[in-house]
Amino acid sequence: MQSFSLLSKASKENCVSEEFEAGDYKWRLSIYPSGNTKGNGQGHVSIYLMLVDPPSLPIDWEVNAIINFSAYNFRDDEYVTTQDATVRRFHVLKTEWGIPKFINLDTFLDPLNGYLVDDTCVFGAEVFIVKISNKGDCLSIIPPVTISHSWKFGKFSFANLDKYESESFVGGDYKWKLLLYPNGVVEGKGNSISLFLALEVSTLPPNTKLVVDCTLRAKDQITGQHAQRNFNRKFTSSNLVWGSRQLVALSKLKNPNNGFLMEDTCIFEVEFVVIGLLTPGID
């Protein structure tokens, strides 16, 4: 996620963000506060993603990506995000893609809607690079549906096992679990809690890889300043578990001034989207 602030009364036709990386490529966001008239975006805020420095790529380069834009709603404290699983193709003749009519300008300027506060707004983009392996894997895109699951873990101070598993839950056509290491693993051992999302292998079709975008979270039950980690990974029969070895420091979790441990109970959450399936192609 790349976000930046933008003055609504900017004198420029468009404003461009700093560079950010996604999938080994560099990108920028371009915002037209009053609409991109060349793209028939009058009366709207227009938003575009631009690939930076394409001349450094081979002459026949091509980059395929799934792109979702977002605008921050200060009132509701959340990002309003597009849900589009279409693969966008970037090449030498097309180095940017966007939405001319992203937000209606009247809606955007109305302070009751929460997009513009103190003449400042925040936009972002999620970029998922679609890479097809040399073995000819085929990507099948799944309509993006966000899957959420919460796990209330009680009697934390009595947790004496290395690992705990949540109950199984269904996400899409698959079964999942959360794995908790109360005293951490690897570099988190003894200093952090470790939390992972695990796919139950029995629900994964043979020779299939799931492309997943995920957020793992330990909830602060007082301030809402949750500890969380994001990852975008492929789940396979040999890689069924992904997560964070250092989600939150034990000293921070056990500090009574924080809200991670209330009445000896922690709340862990996962939110994720199965972006697509990779299966072997036909030669």
Side-chain angles (χ1 to χ4, degrees):
M1 175 71 68
Q2 169 73 21
S3 302
F4 64 98
S5 296
L6 173 73
L7 293 178
S8 64
K9 297 182 180 179
S11 59
K12 296 181 179 179
E13 180 185 9
N14 71 310
C15 299
V16 179
S17 75
E18 296 180 354
E19 291 183 7
F20 63 97
E21 290 191 5
D24 298 326
Y25 302 101
K26 294 181 179 180
W27 310 83
R28 290 182 188 269
L29 275 180
S30 177
I31 307 295
Y32 292 75
S34 300
N36 180 10
T37 56
K38 295 180 181 179
N40 296 319
Q42 300 93 326
H44 294 75
V45 176
S46 304
I47 186 168
Y48 293 84
L49 180 70
M50 305 185 302
L51 184 60
V52 178
D53 197 25
S56 65
L57 299 173
I59 191 169
D60 58 346
W61 66 270
E62 180 177 303
V63 177
N64 296 287
I66 298 170
I67 303 160
N68 281 296
F69 295 112
S70 62
Y72 184 64
N73 187 312
F74 290 89
R75 183 194 63 187
D76 298 331
D77 187 25
E78 66 178 11
Y79 283 92
V80 180
T81 305
T82 58
Q83 296 292 324
D84 187 355
T86 304
V87 177
R88 306 295 173 179
R89 179 170 169 258
F90 293 78
H91 50 83
V92 67
L93 298 178
K94 186 175 180 61
T95 58
E96 72 174 35
W97 179 86
I99 303 176
K101 296 182 179 181
F102 181 52
I103 303 176
N104 180 280
L105 200 53
D106 291 336
T107 300
F108 174 72
L109 295 175
D110 188 340
L112 296 178
N113 292 322
Y115 293 108
L116 193 63
V117 174
D118 295 331
D119 207 28
T120 299
C121 50
V122 180
F123 295 97
E126 292 177 317
V127 183
F128 306 104
I129 302 301
V130 178
K131 293 183 177 180
I132 306 302
S133 75
N134 293 331
K135 295 181 180 180
D137 286 352
C138 295
L139 176 68
S140 301
I141 301 299
I142 299 174
V145 176
T146 300
I147 300 153
S148 301
H149 183 74
S150 182
W151 182 20
K152 185 176 289 188
F153 188 89
K155 298 182 180 180
F156 184 87
S157 62
F158 294 93
N160 55 9
L161 299 179
D162 290 336
K163 181 179 73 172
Y164 291 84
E165 298 183 1
S166 74
E167 293 184 353
S168 296
F169 60 94
V170 176
D173 296 324
Y174 315 98
K175 285 187 177 181
W176 310 81
K177 288 183 179 181
L178 287 176
L179 306 182
L180 172 68
Y181 294 79
N183 200 44
V185 290
V186 195
E187 66 265 30
K189 186 72 173 180
N191 60 71
S192 303
I193 61 168
S194 304
L195 186 67
F196 300 88
L197 175 65
L199 173 65
E200 293 194 13
V201 68
S202 62
T203 63
L204 181 67
N207 301 316
T208 300
K209 305 172 185 177
L210 298 186
V211 183
V212 175
D213 183 65
C214 179
T215 298
L216 290 168
R217 182 180 300 120
K219 294 195 68 174
D220 184 324
Q221 302 169 61
I222 296 177
T223 68
Q225 300 297 313
H226 312 311
Q228 63 183 42
R229 295 289 186 274
N230 305 91
F231 63 83
N232 183 271
R233 294 289 188 271
K234 290 193 289 287
F235 283 76
T236 70
S237 58
S238 59
N239 290 288
L240 294 166
V241 178
W242 292 100
S244 174
R245 295 169 178 168
Q246 294 178 302
L247 181 64
V248 57
L250 286 170
S251 58
K252 184 176 182 179
L253 181 136
K254 295 177 180 179
N255 187 331
N257 294 322
N258 299 321
F260 294 107
L261 190 60
M262 300 292 294
E263 298 180 356
D264 208 24
T265 297
C266 299
I267 299 176
F268 302 106
E269 289 183 344
V270 60
E271 291 184 5
F272 62 98
V273 177
V274 180
I275 301 298
L277 286 76
L278 285 170
T279 54
I282 301 175
D283 294 335

